[in-house]
Structure formats: structure tokens, C-alpha cells
Amino acid sequence: MDVLETSIMAKKTAYRAPDPPTLSSDPKNVARAVALKQLYSTPKPKVNMITGEVEDTGNVPADFETENLVADAAMFEAAGVGLSAGEMYGVMLAIKRLGGNEDNKVDTARFFGKILGTGADYYVFETHLKDYEKGEEKEPAEGEIPAEASGEAGANYYTYWVCNYLGGPFTKLPDCEPTTIKVARQIKKYFTGDLDAAVIAYPPFPGTEKDFLRAQIGRIVSATVVCPLDYFKLAEEDGAEGEELQKIEGDKKSEEYEAKTAAEMLNLENWCHRYHHIKPQGRCKFYEPELPETDEEDEDKTERPEPETSPPLLETLDKDGEKTPSEVPDWGFAIAKPAAEDPEATPESEPRPAWATCTSTNVPGVQYPVVAVKSIKWPGAAAVYSEVGRKDEGKPADARFSNIYVGYGFENVQFEPPAPPKIEEEYDLGGPRDPENPEPDTDPEPKMVMATDLPEIPPEPEKEEEEDAPEE
């Protein structure tokens, strides 16, 4: 016992435990945690230190319209799509911060979705601003197709903002350009999460990742943002196709709309596209370049580009399966499968549907089920629908729906990289070609020659092997 007590007393007096290892924290994670805490925390009021009363700072949040994201989160969770309810609550607070800032001039705001990346993700918000600054109109260069105006009907009607994490700073994306749309349709690339990163691909992309992100967002919303049939009404003062784009009357719900039951919404004929289709040219409205001034005889011979047509606005989803991706880019049926199992044969492709429908429950008699329509063309895009209230006849009094996208921004088509350009012909430097004629070519104009046109060099004669002489 004496030895044990001596050992215990020695440890208590002389032993000192080593300090715990220090954990190094990443500054990015610390900044993200601080931003998320500020997003969820209630702003502290300013109190007068003399009177003890709360002072009015005069910072009134800006007024803007948005969706009921908490109710939408319940529909997404019931259908098994979108983000979790907790993450959607953070999205609601982020939209409040985005629209409440008067400097952003937000009139309407909608949560587009979440685009996943290798290094970081993008939370994307779709807004329409109260006023747009119109810059100086620049005449496009010869052969260049100009972009559509910001805030007007077309590919740039909405303005998009992104952030890498909820509570982080918002970045306004640039407008959609026809050149970026064209190249984005020919490449397939993951996002990195860095808006200033270079997009290394072939064909070369004209811009950085923020331009590529905006082009992909424009393609996705054009093909996957849908609404119930007859929910919106087209304006009557629209011009013909090619003159003015069709518009939705007031961008508001039609007063004549009658909500349908969940069973009826499982039919694709009761869903329609809400946004304009982007033509192969890279614009919603076809642009016909001005031809150079020529004589009347040459004017007849000048070929004018054929106008590109698109499906009409509010076209039903059941017609998407009839369209080929080459005719209607970004729309049409999804990836095609061969009709035969023989890999050497070249059978005709069998189109697959572009959309699939499902319901939150298969139990009969359940009231207010949630119906979801999912895009097979763009995996991750979905729309949900739910009844609201009941009439005396048993029909729904009203309905609510919402769209969302969560994915990598990939289109479900067979990716075929474009072929590289033709190899250019070799340039004749004018040097000696024939060893017997060392004088260079006296022709002042250089000629373009192929490598096959050069004279063949005769092969060297083979040396006969000397036979060893027999030993005497």
C-alpha cells in the first residue's frame, strides 16, 4: 500500500498531462459557418442607451414577390425530389436576403435549384428586375448574331444569381449569348464551383464557367419549366411567329383556370411548357442578318438563311416525344436505344419518352396526393402538383405547383464529340526538293503542296554479306 500511495502522490504532484492536439480549421469552412449562423439569426435591434427604447433604423426591406418555399418543400419531400425541408428553409432565408436588398432591384424571385460541382455547388435564383439598364446598342459585326435584350421576352427575360453556400454572397450571372448556347450544346463538362475557372473543352468555349453556367441554365429552364394546362393565358396582341414572341398575359394565373384532380395530372396532356424554346441559332426570336448592298441581279442570287421555327409557347408535354433532338435542341425525346441487339447492325432508333409521371402514394382514397412529373431529357428536373381545397362537387377548388432542378447540368443524350478540323496542307517553303537539282524554286508565289507530292527517295541498295572464307 505504501508503494501504491507513493505512486499516486507522485503522479498528482509531478505528472503533467500533455496538451491536446490543436485542430487546424479551414478558413473557408469557418467563413461558411459564420455566414450560415448570420443567415438564421435574428438581427439585433438598435437600442438607445439613454432611454432604453428601440430605435427605428429606417432600413425597410424591399418589397418583392416570391413563392411559398415552405409549402413547396413539403410537396418536394412527398414526391421524393428536390432538397430536404431543412435546406429549403435556408433557401427561403436566402431569397429573403436577395430580394430584400434594394440595390438588387428584384421584382419577382424564384428558386431555380441546385447545380452540383466537383469543388463546390451552385444555388441558383431566378429573378425579374424592376428596371433594366439599357446600354448603348452596338451594331453586330459581320456574321455575328447579337444577344437578346435583358428583361424582354426571350432567353434573357430573367436574371440569375448564384451562391456557393446558403448565406454566402450572391453573384449576378451575365446574359445568355448565342455563341455560348451553340458551344454548350456540343460539349459535356462538370462544373468546378469557381465562376472564374476556364472551360477547357473542344470546341473552345467563348468565356469562363459563369458564361457556361448561364448557358446551361438557359437551356434547362427552356425545356423543363412547366405548368398545368390552361393555368396561364396567352396575350391576344401577339404578332405572328418570326415577328414578335408570344407572351403570357400579365404573367399571372388565368381567371378561367379550373384545377384538375391528381389523377388527371398524371396525363402529360395536362402539362405544358412555360418558357420559350431556344432555337438552334441560340436565340428565342430568330435573327435575320442584313445582307450587304448589292445590285438587283446579285440580290436574287444571294442566299438568305431559312427562318428557324420553334414549338409554340404553352405546348403540351406529350408532344415532346415526337420531336427529334436535331430538329428541336434541348427538347424532344431522351436518349434513343437500338431496336436490335446486334451491335453491327444499324437499326432505326426507338425514341423514349421525354417525361415520366408518378404520385406520392398508390393507396386508393388518399386525399390531396402530390403528383410529380420528371424530365428524362434533363435528369434532376421535376415539377410537383397538389390540390388545394374541395368544391361541393368533389373537384379541387384550386391547385399549387412548383418547379425545381437538382443535378449536374447534363442532358440525357448520346454525347458525340465533334470531329476535329481537317488537317491543313503543308506549306511550300521553296527549298530544294531533288538532290540532283539543288537550286530552289524560282517561282515568286509560294505553292501549297501535299506531302504525297514530294518525290520518292530511292531505297539504298542492300549490302551483300561477305561469306566467311573456309579455313585451310
Side-chain angles (χ1 to χ4, degrees):
M1 291 295 293
D2 295 339
V3 177
L4 179 60
E5 292 177 356
T6 304
S7 176
I8 294 175
M9 292 299 296
K11 289 181 179 180
K12 288 183 177 180
T13 56
Y15 176 75
R16 180 181 178 185
D19 295 332
T22 57
L23 299 177
S24 60
S25 57
D26 189 356
K28 293 183 179 180
N29 295 336
V30 174
R32 180 173 299 188
V34 172
L36 192 62
K37 180 182 178 181
Q38 293 178 354
L39 181 67
Y40 278 85
S41 61
T42 304
K44 296 181 179 180
K46 187 177 181 181
V47 180
N48 192 328
M49 302 302 295
I50 299 175
T51 61
E53 297 179 356
V54 178
E55 294 183 354
D56 185 10
T57 58
N59 296 329
V60 180
D63 187 18
F64 68 101
E65 295 183 7
T66 186
E67 299 175 319
N68 188 348
L69 292 176
V70 176
D72 294 347
M75 292 194 297
F76 293 144
E77 188 174 9
V81 298
L83 306 177
S84 63
E87 196 169 5
M88 287 296 294
Y89 187 83
V91 170
M92 179 200 67
L93 297 177
I95 278 193
K96 178 184 74 69
R97 176 179 293 184
L98 174 65
N101 190 347
E102 295 182 355
D103 297 335
N104 297 333
K105 302 177 182 179
V106 174
D107 186 23
T108 61
R110 183 182 76 90
F111 179 57
F112 162 81
K114 184 178 181 180
I115 293 185
L116 309 177
T118 57
D121 303 330
Y122 291 112
Y123 291 90
V124 186
F125 302 89
E126 178 186 276
T127 64
H128 186 71
L129 306 184
K130 297 178 180 178
D131 56 343
Y132 288 84
E133 297 179 359
K134 295 184 179 180
E136 298 180 359
E137 296 183 0
K138 299 181 180 179
E139 295 184 0
E142 185 177 356
E144 181 182 356
I145 300 175
E148 294 178 293
S150 303
E152 298 183 3
N156 293 321
Y157 181 73
Y158 292 102
T159 303
Y160 292 88
W161 307 72
V162 297
C163 61
N164 291 121
Y165 52 90
L166 296 177
F170 294 100
T171 303
K172 183 180 177 181
L173 295 181
D175 285 342
C176 202
E177 298 285 343
T179 53
T180 58
I181 289 288
K182 288 182 179 180
V183 179
R185 285 171 172 164
Q186 303 179 57
I187 63 178
K188 190 172 185 179
K189 190 174 179 63
Y190 283 100
F191 292 98
T192 63
D194 183 7
L195 293 175
D196 297 326
V199 181
I200 303 174
Y202 181 81
F205 186 80
T208 57
E209 184 164 299
K210 61 183 177 183
D211 302 291
F212 181 50
L213 177 62
R214 178 62 182 88
Q216 290 297 91
I217 292 174
R219 298 175 60 201
I220 294 172
V221 297
S222 169
T224 63
V225 175
V226 297
C227 62
L229 186 65
D230 298 331
Y231 193 90
F232 296 104
K233 185 179 179 181
L234 292 177
E236 298 180 356
E237 62 272 15
D238 292 328
E241 176 69 20
E243 297 179 2
E244 292 294 338
L245 289 175
Q246 294 176 309
K247 298 178 183 178
I248 295 176
E249 187 175 2
D251 287 339
K252 300 292 183 180
K253 173 184 172 182
S254 175
E255 298 179 356
E256 303 174 358
Y257 173 72
E258 295 183 1
K260 297 180 176 59
T261 61
E264 293 176 328
M265 295 307 295
L266 290 173
N267 191 350
L268 293 179
E269 295 180 356
N270 292 325
W271 291 89
C272 61
H273 288 278
R274 184 177 175 182
Y275 291 173
H276 291 281
H277 173 257
I278 301 179
K279 295 178 171 59
Q281 192 185 49
R283 292 166 50 102
C284 295
K285 181 181 178 181
F286 182 73
Y287 174 77
E288 185 175 353
E290 297 181 0
L291 299 176
E293 297 181 0
T294 55
D295 300 336
E296 295 181 359
E297 297 179 358
D298 298 338
E299 187 176 355
D300 299 336
K301 299 179 182 179
T302 306
E303 296 183 358
R304 292 180 174 273
E306 295 184 2
E308 299 173 353
T309 59
S310 291
L313 191 61
L314 301 182
E315 186 181 66
T316 55
L317 301 188
D318 60 312
K319 297 182 180 179
D320 284 4
E322 304 172 0
K323 303 179 178 66
T324 59
S326 58
E327 296 176 354
V328 186
D330 306 331
W331 290 23
F333 57 80
I335 186 172
K337 61 180 179 179
E341 298 180 356
D342 187 5
E344 297 181 358
T346 56
E348 295 183 359
S349 300
E350 190 175 311
R352 293 182 180 180
W355 297 88
T357 57
C358 65
T359 181
S360 60
T361 178
N362 294 325
V363 179
V366 175
Q367 296 187 5
Y368 307 112
V370 177
V371 175
V373 53
K374 303 178 182 180
S375 175
I376 305 176
K377 181 79 168 182
W378 294 92
V384 291
Y385 175 94
S386 178
E387 305 172 7
V388 177
R390 292 285 182 183
K391 293 182 180 179
D392 297 337
E393 300 84 2
K395 295 183 179 181
D398 201 355
R400 60 176 301 106
F401 72 97
S402 184
N403 293 265
I404 197 171
Y405 176 83
V406 180
Y408 289 94
F410 289 161
E411 184 182 8
N412 187 15
V413 294
Q414 292 179 348
F415 178 65
E416 298 179 358
K422 293 181 62 177
I423 299 176
E424 297 183 358
E425 298 178 346
E426 295 185 3
Y427 184 76
D428 184 13
L429 299 177
R433 301 183 188 177
D434 190 355
E436 298 179 358
N437 184 19
E439 295 182 1
D441 196 352
T442 57
D443 190 357
E445 297 182 0
K447 299 178 181 179
M448 303 297 290
V449 296
M450 297 293 292
T452 55
D453 297 337
L454 297 176
E456 298 182 0
I457 301 176
E460 297 181 1
E462 298 180 357
K463 296 181 180 181
E464 298 180 359
E465 298 181 358
E466 297 180 359
E467 298 181 358
D468 297 338
E471 297 180 358
E472 295 181 359

